[in-house]
Protein backbone atom coordinates (compact mmCIF):
# COMPACT_ATOMS: atom_id res chain seq x y z
CA UNK A 1 0.00 0.00 0.00
CA UNK A 2 1.28 3.42 -0.93
CA UNK A 3 0.24 6.62 0.82
CA UNK A 4 -0.75 9.38 -1.60
CA UNK A 5 1.15 12.15 0.14
CA UNK A 6 -0.69 15.36 -0.63
CA UNK A 7 1.32 17.35 1.85
CA UNK A 8 4.65 16.53 0.19
CA UNK A 9 3.25 17.11 -3.31
CA UNK A 10 1.68 20.42 -2.33
CA UNK A 11 5.06 21.62 -1.03
CA UNK A 12 6.72 20.60 -4.28
CA UNK A 13 4.04 22.39 -6.33
CA UNK A 14 4.33 25.50 -4.16
CA UNK A 15 8.08 25.59 -4.75
CA UNK A 16 7.50 25.45 -8.51
CA UNK A 17 4.83 28.14 -8.29
CA UNK A 18 7.13 30.43 -6.35
CA UNK A 19 9.49 30.40 -9.33
CA UNK A 20 6.60 30.89 -11.76
CA UNK A 21 5.33 33.92 -9.84
CA UNK A 22 8.83 35.41 -9.74
CA UNK A 23 9.13 34.92 -13.49
CA UNK A 24 5.75 36.59 -14.11
CA UNK A 25 6.97 39.55 -12.12
CA UNK A 26 10.29 39.76 -13.97
CA UNK A 27 8.99 39.22 -17.48
CA UNK A 28 5.53 40.85 -17.43
CA UNK A 29 5.55 42.92 -14.26
CA UNK A 30 2.53 40.94 -13.00
CA UNK A 31 1.92 40.05 -9.36
CA UNK A 32 -1.00 37.59 -9.25
CA UNK A 33 -3.78 38.85 -6.97
CA UNK A 34 -6.50 36.98 -5.12
CA UNK A 35 -9.52 38.58 -3.40
CA UNK A 36 -11.34 36.51 -0.80
CA UNK A 37 -14.81 37.39 0.45
CA UNK A 38 -15.51 36.07 3.92
CA UNK A 39 -18.98 36.56 5.37
CA UNK A 40 -19.90 35.91 9.00
CA UNK A 41 -17.94 34.29 11.79
CA UNK A 42 -17.94 30.58 11.06
CA UNK A 43 -14.67 29.44 12.74
CA UNK A 44 -13.87 26.80 10.07
CA UNK A 45 -14.29 29.36 7.27
CA UNK A 46 -11.99 31.79 9.09
CA UNK A 47 -9.37 29.05 9.48
CA UNK A 48 -9.58 28.10 5.78
CA UNK A 49 -9.28 31.74 4.68
CA UNK A 50 -6.23 32.26 6.90
CA UNK A 51 -4.61 29.13 5.45
CA UNK A 52 -5.29 30.39 1.92
CA UNK A 53 -3.83 33.84 2.67
CA UNK A 54 -0.71 32.27 4.21
CA UNK A 55 -0.23 30.01 1.19
CA UNK A 56 -0.57 33.00 -1.16
CA UNK A 57 2.12 34.83 0.77
CA UNK A 58 4.44 31.83 0.62
CA UNK A 59 4.48 31.83 -3.18
CA UNK A 60 4.36 35.60 -3.70
CA UNK A 61 0.69 36.01 -4.63
CA UNK A 62 -0.95 39.21 -3.38
CA UNK A 63 -4.12 38.46 -1.44
CA UNK A 64 -6.77 40.56 0.21
CA UNK A 65 -9.66 39.39 2.40
CA UNK A 66 -12.93 41.32 2.50
CA UNK A 67 -14.45 40.40 5.84
CA UNK A 68 -18.17 41.10 6.15
CA UNK A 69 -20.63 40.61 9.01
CA UNK A 70 -23.32 37.90 8.63
CA UNK A 71 -25.93 40.68 8.59
CA UNK A 72 -24.61 41.97 5.26
CA UNK A 73 -27.04 42.19 2.35
CA UNK A 74 -26.77 40.31 -0.92
CA UNK A 75 -26.50 43.64 -2.74
CA UNK A 76 -23.45 44.69 -0.72
CA UNK A 77 -21.64 41.42 -1.46
CA UNK A 78 -22.48 41.79 -5.14
CA UNK A 79 -21.15 45.35 -5.12
CA UNK A 80 -17.82 44.16 -3.67
CA UNK A 81 -17.54 41.38 -6.25
CA UNK A 82 -18.27 43.82 -9.09
CA UNK A 83 -15.54 46.09 -7.76
CA UNK A 84 -13.10 43.15 -7.75
CA UNK A 85 -14.21 42.14 -11.26
CA UNK A 86 -13.05 45.56 -12.45
CA UNK A 87 -9.85 45.71 -10.37
CA UNK A 88 -6.91 45.05 -12.75
CA UNK A 89 -4.68 43.88 -9.89
CA UNK A 90 -7.10 41.12 -8.90
CA UNK A 91 -6.92 37.93 -10.97
CA UNK A 92 -8.96 35.62 -8.78
CA UNK A 93 -12.10 36.09 -6.70
CA UNK A 94 -13.21 33.55 -4.14
CA UNK A 95 -16.31 33.64 -1.99
CA UNK A 96 -15.79 31.44 1.04
CA UNK A 97 -18.74 29.08 1.45
CA UNK A 98 -21.07 28.50 3.18
CA UNK A 99 -22.77 31.90 3.10
CA UNK A 100 -25.43 32.86 5.68
CA UNK A 101 -28.89 31.49 4.89
CA UNK A 102 -30.40 34.79 3.76
CA UNK A 103 -27.84 35.02 0.95
CA UNK A 104 -28.43 33.16 -2.30
CA UNK A 105 -25.03 31.52 -3.01
CA UNK A 106 -25.91 30.67 -6.61
CA UNK A 107 -26.72 34.30 -7.36
CA UNK A 108 -23.49 35.48 -5.71
CA UNK A 109 -21.26 32.97 -7.52
CA UNK A 110 -22.75 33.98 -10.87
CA UNK A 111 -21.62 37.58 -10.34
CA UNK A 112 -17.95 36.58 -10.33
CA UNK A 113 -16.35 37.13 -13.72
CA UNK A 114 -15.74 33.64 -15.22
CA UNK A 115 -12.19 34.83 -16.00
CA UNK A 116 -11.56 35.42 -12.28
CA UNK A 117 -13.50 32.39 -11.05
CA UNK A 118 -10.55 30.57 -9.46
CA UNK A 119 -12.87 28.24 -7.53
CA UNK A 120 -14.47 27.11 -10.79
CA UNK A 121 -18.01 27.33 -9.44
CA UNK A 122 -19.46 29.69 -12.08
CA UNK A 123 -21.90 27.86 -14.40
CA UNK A 124 -19.79 29.02 -17.37
CA UNK A 125 -16.77 27.12 -16.04
CA UNK A 126 -18.92 24.18 -14.91
CA UNK A 127 -20.28 23.91 -18.46
CA UNK A 128 -16.81 24.09 -19.99
CA UNK A 129 -15.55 21.42 -17.61
CA UNK A 130 -18.35 19.01 -18.46
CA UNK A 131 -17.74 19.71 -22.16
CA UNK A 132 -14.08 18.76 -21.66
CA UNK A 133 -12.90 22.29 -22.50
CA UNK A 134 -10.21 24.32 -20.76
CA UNK A 135 -11.72 26.02 -17.72
CA UNK A 136 -11.18 26.89 -14.08
CA UNK A 137 -11.67 23.60 -12.27
CA UNK A 138 -12.80 23.39 -8.62
CA UNK A 139 -9.68 23.11 -6.46
CA UNK A 140 -10.43 19.94 -4.48
CA UNK A 141 -11.15 17.61 -7.42
CA UNK A 142 -8.34 19.23 -9.40
CA UNK A 143 -6.02 18.44 -6.48
CA UNK A 144 -7.15 14.81 -6.57
CA UNK A 145 -6.30 14.57 -10.29
CA UNK A 146 -2.83 16.09 -9.66
CA UNK A 147 -2.25 13.59 -6.90
CA UNK A 148 -3.22 10.66 -9.16
CA UNK A 149 -0.97 12.01 -11.89
CA UNK A 150 1.99 12.38 -9.53
CA UNK A 151 1.73 8.68 -8.66
CA UNK A 152 1.32 7.72 -12.35
CA UNK A 153 -2.25 6.55 -11.86
CA UNK A 154 -4.16 6.85 -15.12
CA UNK A 155 -7.94 6.53 -14.63
CA UNK A 156 -8.45 5.56 -18.29
CA UNK A 157 -10.62 2.45 -18.48
CA UNK A 158 -10.92 2.15 -14.70
CA UNK A 159 -14.19 1.83 -12.80
CA UNK A 160 -14.34 4.99 -10.70
CA UNK A 161 -16.93 5.49 -7.98
CA UNK A 162 -17.48 8.94 -6.49
CA UNK A 163 -19.41 9.05 -3.23
CA UNK A 164 -20.90 12.51 -2.65
CA UNK A 165 -22.48 14.59 -5.39
CA UNK A 166 -22.12 18.22 -4.32
CA UNK A 167 -21.41 20.96 -6.85
CA UNK A 168 -18.04 21.71 -5.29
CA UNK A 169 -16.69 18.20 -4.75
CA UNK A 170 -18.52 15.16 -6.13
CA UNK A 171 -19.92 16.45 -9.43
CA UNK A 172 -16.72 18.11 -10.72
CA UNK A 173 -14.74 15.08 -9.47
CA UNK A 174 -16.95 12.81 -11.55
CA UNK A 175 -16.60 15.11 -14.58
CA UNK A 176 -12.80 15.08 -14.35
CA UNK A 177 -12.67 11.30 -14.04
CA UNK A 178 -15.03 10.95 -16.99
CA UNK A 179 -12.87 13.38 -19.01
CA UNK A 180 -9.93 11.14 -18.10
CA UNK A 181 -11.84 8.20 -19.66
CA UNK A 182 -12.81 6.36 -16.49
CA UNK A 183 -16.25 4.71 -16.22
CA UNK A 184 -17.87 6.80 -13.54
CA UNK A 185 -20.54 5.96 -11.01
CA UNK A 186 -21.82 8.74 -8.70
CA UNK A 187 -23.38 7.87 -5.33
CA UNK A 188 -25.19 10.12 -2.86
CA UNK A 189 -27.52 10.11 0.09
CA UNK A 190 -30.33 8.45 -1.92
CA UNK A 191 -28.19 5.68 -3.38
CA UNK A 192 -29.95 2.42 -2.49
CA UNK A 193 -27.07 0.07 -1.81
CA UNK A 194 -23.85 2.05 -1.45
CA UNK A 195 -21.69 -0.99 -0.83
CA UNK A 196 -22.70 -2.66 -4.10
CA UNK A 197 -21.27 0.38 -5.91
CA UNK A 198 -18.12 1.02 -3.85
CA UNK A 199 -17.09 -2.65 -4.00
CA UNK A 200 -16.71 -2.37 -7.78
CA UNK A 201 -14.41 0.64 -7.67
CA UNK A 202 -10.87 0.58 -8.99
CA UNK A 203 -10.76 4.20 -7.87
CA UNK A 204 -12.99 5.16 -4.97
CA UNK A 205 -13.32 8.88 -4.21
CA UNK A 206 -15.29 9.82 -1.11
CA UNK A 207 -16.41 13.36 -0.26
CA UNK A 208 -19.37 13.20 2.09
CA UNK A 209 -18.53 14.44 5.58
CA UNK A 210 -19.37 11.29 7.56
CA UNK A 211 -16.55 9.69 9.55
CA UNK A 212 -16.33 5.92 9.15
CA UNK A 213 -18.77 5.85 6.21
CA UNK A 214 -16.47 3.65 4.13
CA UNK A 215 -15.50 0.43 5.86
CA UNK A 216 -13.16 -2.35 4.79
CA UNK A 217 -15.94 -4.61 3.46
CA UNK A 218 -17.04 -1.85 1.04
CA UNK A 219 -13.68 -1.69 -0.73
CA UNK A 220 -12.23 -3.97 -3.40
CA UNK A 221 -8.80 -5.52 -2.81
CA UNK A 222 -6.17 -3.27 -4.41
CA UNK A 223 -8.46 -0.27 -4.88
CA UNK A 224 -7.16 3.29 -5.03
CA UNK A 225 -8.92 5.17 -2.24
CA UNK A 226 -9.19 8.96 -2.10
CA UNK A 227 -10.71 10.44 1.04
CA UNK A 228 -11.86 14.04 0.65
CA UNK A 229 -13.91 14.16 3.85
CA UNK A 230 -12.85 16.43 6.69
CA UNK A 231 -14.52 15.73 10.03
CA UNK A 232 -13.68 16.80 13.56
CA UNK A 233 -14.17 14.09 16.17
CA UNK A 234 -15.34 14.80 19.72
CA UNK A 235 -11.74 14.75 20.96
CA UNK A 236 -10.77 17.33 18.33
CA UNK A 237 -9.04 14.94 15.92
CA UNK A 238 -9.42 15.50 12.15
CA UNK A 239 -10.54 12.39 10.28
CA UNK A 240 -11.89 11.61 6.82
CA UNK A 241 -14.88 9.54 5.69
CA UNK A 242 -12.88 6.33 5.29
CA UNK A 243 -11.94 3.92 8.07
CA UNK A 244 -8.26 4.43 7.27
CA UNK A 245 -6.88 1.85 9.69
CA UNK A 246 -8.69 -1.08 8.09
CA UNK A 247 -9.23 0.12 4.51
CA UNK A 248 -5.51 0.95 4.09
CA UNK A 249 -4.75 -2.78 4.51
CA UNK A 250 -6.80 -3.54 1.37
CA UNK A 251 -6.01 -0.51 -0.78
CA UNK A 252 -3.13 -0.22 -3.22
CA UNK A 253 -3.02 3.57 -2.77
CA UNK A 254 -4.78 5.69 -0.17
CA UNK A 255 -4.83 9.32 0.95
CA UNK A 256 -4.42 10.09 4.65
CA UNK A 257 -6.55 12.67 6.46
CA UNK A 258 -5.02 15.09 7.25
CA UNK A 259 -2.17 15.38 4.76
CA UNK A 260 -3.92 14.03 1.65
CA UNK A 261 -6.40 16.02 -0.39
CA UNK A 262 -6.59 19.04 1.97
CA UNK A 263 -3.15 20.55 1.19
CA UNK A 264 -3.69 19.86 -2.51
CA UNK A 265 -6.88 21.95 -2.49
CA UNK A 266 -4.99 25.03 -1.36
CA UNK A 267 -2.16 24.42 -3.82
CA UNK A 268 -4.71 24.25 -6.65
CA UNK A 269 -6.23 27.57 -5.60
CA UNK A 270 -2.80 29.15 -6.05
CA UNK A 271 -2.39 27.35 -9.36
CA UNK A 272 -5.74 28.68 -10.61
CA UNK A 273 -4.84 32.21 -9.49
CA UNK A 274 -1.56 32.06 -11.41
CA UNK A 275 -3.43 30.69 -14.45
CA UNK A 276 -5.82 33.67 -14.24
CA UNK A 277 -2.89 36.09 -13.91
CA UNK A 278 -1.23 34.61 -16.99
CA UNK A 279 -4.45 35.30 -18.90
CA UNK A 280 -4.29 39.05 -18.15
CA UNK A 281 -4.45 41.25 -21.22
P1 LIG B 1 -22.15 18.48 1.01
O1 LIG B 1 -22.84 18.31 2.31
O2 LIG B 1 -22.46 19.63 0.13
O3 LIG B 1 -22.39 17.17 0.14
C1 LIG B 1 -22.34 15.89 0.71
C2 LIG B 1 -22.71 14.85 -0.34
O4 LIG B 1 -22.66 13.58 0.29
C3 LIG B 1 -24.11 14.99 -0.90
O5 LIG B 1 -24.09 14.76 -2.29
C4 LIG B 1 -24.91 13.90 -0.21
O6 LIG B 1 -25.97 13.38 -1.01
C5 LIG B 1 -23.85 12.86 0.04
N1 LIG B 1 -24.13 11.99 1.18
C6 LIG B 1 -24.52 12.37 2.43
N2 LIG B 1 -24.68 11.27 3.21
C7 LIG B 1 -24.39 10.21 2.45
C8 LIG B 1 -24.37 8.83 2.69
N3 LIG B 1 -24.69 8.31 3.87
N4 LIG B 1 -24.03 8.00 1.67
C9 LIG B 1 -23.69 8.50 0.45
N5 LIG B 1 -23.69 9.81 0.17
C10 LIG B 1 -24.03 10.66 1.17
O7 LIG B 1 -20.60 18.42 1.35
P2 LIG B 1 -19.32 18.90 0.49
O8 LIG B 1 -19.19 20.36 0.57
O9 LIG B 1 -19.34 18.24 -0.83
O10 LIG B 1 -18.16 18.26 1.36
C11 LIG B 1 -18.06 16.88 1.54
C12 LIG B 1 -16.90 16.57 2.47
O11 LIG B 1 -15.69 16.99 1.86
C13 LIG B 1 -16.96 17.31 3.82
O12 LIG B 1 -16.41 16.49 4.82
C14 LIG B 1 -16.06 18.51 3.60
O13 LIG B 1 -15.49 18.99 4.80
C15 LIG B 1 -15.01 17.88 2.72
N6 LIG B 1 -14.27 18.82 1.89
C16 LIG B 1 -12.93 18.68 1.89
C17 LIG B 1 -12.15 19.50 1.11
C18 LIG B 1 -10.67 19.28 1.11
O14 LIG B 1 -9.94 20.17 0.75
N7 LIG B 1 -10.19 18.10 1.49
C19 LIG B 1 -12.73 20.50 0.34
C20 LIG B 1 -14.13 20.61 0.33
C21 LIG B 1 -14.89 19.75 1.11
Amino acid sequence: MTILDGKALSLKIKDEMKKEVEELKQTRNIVPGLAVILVGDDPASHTYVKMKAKACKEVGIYSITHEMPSSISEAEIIETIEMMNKNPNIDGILVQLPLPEHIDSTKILEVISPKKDVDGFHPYNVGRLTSGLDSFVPCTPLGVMELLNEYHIDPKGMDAVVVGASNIVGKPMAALLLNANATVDICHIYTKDLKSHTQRADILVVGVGKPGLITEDMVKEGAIVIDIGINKTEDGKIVGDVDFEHVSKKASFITPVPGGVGPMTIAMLLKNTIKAAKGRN
Side-chain angles (χ1 to χ4, degrees):
M1 182 272 298
T2 304
I3 295 279
L4 297 167
D5 190 343
K7 194 172 174 196
L9 178 58
S10 71
L11 290 174
K12 185 174 137 188
I13 295 174
K14 276 200 246 172
D15 260 356
E16 288 163 9
M17 286 192 294
K18 217 171 167 175
K19 288 180 201 134
E20 226 179 327
V21 170
E22 190 52 44
E23 202 181 304
L24 260 179
K25 202 172 168 184
Q26 297 299 333
T27 57
R28 294 179 58 193
N29 199 24
I30 288 176
V31 177
L34 174 71
V36 178
I37 291 164
L38 174 60
V39 184
D41 40 33
D42 174 51
S45 292
H46 276 258
T47 305
Y48 289 140
V49 168
K50 267 191 204 140
M51 284 161 73
K52 288 168 185 175
K54 184 171 165 266
C56 281
K57 206 169 169 196
E58 280 165 9
V59 303
I61 293 176
Y62 163 75
S63 81
I64 180 166
T65 303
H66 294 272
E67 279 195 44
M68 301 173 174
S70 51
S71 58
I72 196 112
S73 69
E74 225 167 65
E76 282 169 289
I77 302 176
I78 290 173
E79 203 181 306
T80 306
I81 295 174
E82 280 171 346
M83 222 164 64
M84 294 297 117
N85 279 343
K86 287 190 204 124
N87 186 332
N89 296 316
I90 294 298
D91 300 289
I93 303 169
L94 178 160
V95 176
Q96 185 65 40
L97 301 175
L99 290 170
E101 269 179 17
H102 69 279
I103 310 280
D104 179 351
S105 306
T106 312
K107 193 168 161 190
I108 296 294
L109 294 175
E110 278 190 285
V111 179
I112 298 173
S113 159
K115 286 187 180 151
K116 298 192 176 189
D117 175 34
V118 285
D119 252 343
F121 296 158
H122 192 289
Y124 174 83
N125 283 312
V126 176
R128 288 188 64 91
L129 170 64
T130 48
S131 305
L133 299 170
D134 178 53
S135 64
F136 285 110
V137 176
C139 303
T140 300
L142 183 60
V144 172
M145 296 309 281
E146 287 267 338
L147 205 46
L148 293 177
N149 185 48
E150 176 71 10
Y151 287 82
H152 309 292
I153 298 167
D154 182 0
K156 187 175 176 178
M158 287 192 187
D159 286 331
V161 176
V162 178
V163 186
S166 69
N167 288 341
I168 65 171
V169 176
K171 284 185 201 163
M173 186 72 251
L176 285 169
L177 287 164
L178 181 60
N179 289 349
N181 297 312
T183 301
V184 185
D185 187 358
I186 313 171
C187 304
H188 45 76
I189 186 94
Y190 299 113
T191 298
K192 271 188 287 182
D193 181 4
L194 184 61
K195 185 172 159 179
S196 69
H197 294 265
T198 59
Q199 273 179 334
R200 296 184 46 234
D202 300 315
I203 301 185
L204 176 60
V205 186
V206 190
V208 169
K210 292 217 163 92
L213 177 72
I214 304 297
T215 47
E216 191 185 355
D217 56 314
M218 297 169 82
V219 178
K220 186 165 90 173
E221 195 72 45
I224 297 153
V225 181
I226 310 287
D227 191 352
I228 295 177
I230 301 178
N231 310 288
K232 210 173 193 171
T233 61
E234 273 174 16
D235 51 2
K237 255 181 73 181
I238 299 293
V239 297
D241 293 341
V242 175
D243 172 7
F244 182 87
E245 190 192 338
H246 298 103
V247 171
S248 59
K249 294 192 177 104
K250 262 182 132 176
S252 55
F253 293 87
I254 189 165
T255 56
V257 178
V261 178
M264 290 303 295
T265 297
I266 296 192
M268 293 304 103
L269 172 65
L270 308 180
K271 188 176 174 166
N272 281 347
T273 306
I274 295 170
K275 176 184 165 122
K278 283 183 171 168
R280 267 195 212 182
N281 289 330

